Amino acid sequence: MLNIILFGPPGAGKGTQSAYLVERHGLVHLSTGDIFRSNIKDGTELGQLAQSYMNQGQLVPDGVTIRMLESEVDKHPEAKGFIFDGFPRTTAQAEALDELLNDRKAPVSCMLALEVAEEELKLRLLTRAKTSGRPDDADPAVIQKRIDVYNAETAPVASHYADQGKFTGVDGIGTIEEIAERLSAAIPND
Ligand code: ADP
């Protein structure tokens, strides 16, 4: 199985690039942000819980996020592999993902990290706000909070996979196609 973690700060282009990787490699795309937003839209209990955190730019607590991710993985027993987009976002989530995938004899293949400077991220998110309808993209204070949370809680997850020899950084500046090529070239044995 090919299990890719697509990593990077808010606005780095994870969602856009996931679409390319899904098409090219026949993987199942699991975006925790998308799953939370679909729960918010459907008015589920999980959606109500997640919404308060998301609107403030904070992380949804690990316990519910990990349980949700596990149940999504188990919905796709026939998958050739997964792209994890927006997960893991904490070291505890990374440990849970490793355990979950190792138990299924399909460990993480690699972490590909899109690298984009902070000023560019802020511009991209404010531009995306015009069409995304996402309240967390429209408010500069919430954008800053998301970037701060990324730096404090999520960035350390890179070392977790670097220590396993599974980390590759990829320049996230360029055309969508150029970045897609860089990502595909960084996937091991494919
Ligand atoms: P972006 O990467 O642009 O911030 P996402 O759609 O991945 O957008 O995430 C939006 C929000 O959803 C996050 O700010 C956070 O509140 C919540 N979220 C998404 N994934 C996770 C996760 N793995 N753990 C905790 N919260 C998450």
Side-chain angles (χ1 to χ4, degrees):
M1 258 172 112
L2 182 60
N3 286 323
I4 300 174
I5 299 171
L6 192 53
F7 192 70
K14 300 185 294 291
T16 305
Q17 292 299 331
S18 289
Y20 273 70
L21 289 170
V22 163
E23 202 173 315
R24 250 193 194 195
H25 303 278
L27 305 174
V28 173
H29 178 213
L30 291 186
S31 156
T32 41
D34 286 353
I35 300 165
F36 284 134
R37 279 185 288 278
S38 128
N39 275 275
I40 291 171
K41 193 161 146 273
D42 294 343
T44 69
E45 211 172 300
L46 176 62
Q48 281 169 22
L49 173 93
Q51 188 166 32
S52 53
Y53 294 98
M54 291 169 77
N55 287 351
Q56 294 175 56
Q58 289 170 349
L59 296 183
V60 180
D62 280 340
V64 285
T65 304
I66 290 166
R67 276 197 297 281
M68 176 184 86
L69 193 277
E70 179 160 9
S71 89
E72 291 294 326
V73 167
D74 285 335
K75 283 181 190 167
H76 301 279
E78 307 302 327
K80 279 172 60 187
F82 293 93
I83 297 181
F84 298 98
D85 162 4
F87 187 96
R89 257 178 156 96
T90 63
T91 304
Q93 291 181 15
E95 286 164 358
L97 181 66
D98 289 351
E99 191 181 331
L100 170 83
L101 294 178
N102 289 339
D103 283 351
R104 287 160 183 73
K105 308 279 178 264
V108 169
S109 309
C110 59
M111 168 179 271
L112 307 179
L114 288 169
E115 295 169 342
V116 177
E118 191 166 316
E119 286 316 306
E120 171 71 14
L121 297 173
K122 291 178 187 166
L123 289 175
R124 287 188 188 180
L125 291 169
L126 287 169
T127 305
R128 184 169 81 182
K130 293 178 190 149
T131 52
S132 70
R134 284 178 51 172
D136 61 340
D137 285 347
D139 179 342
V142 175
I143 289 177
Q144 187 62 54
K145 175 73 183 167
R146 285 158 66 199
I147 292 174
D148 292 346
V149 168
Y150 174 83
N151 288 331
E153 296 188 51
T154 305
V157 179
S159 331
H160 177 91
Y161 289 100
D163 290 347
Q164 297 181 22
K166 292 181 177 175
F167 177 90
T168 306
V170 173
D171 180 2
I173 302 290
T175 66
I176 291 173
E177 290 77 11
E178 281 165 353
I179 298 163
E181 281 306 321
R182 288 176 204 147
L183 288 172
S184 285
I187 295 173
N189 311 319
D190 194 72

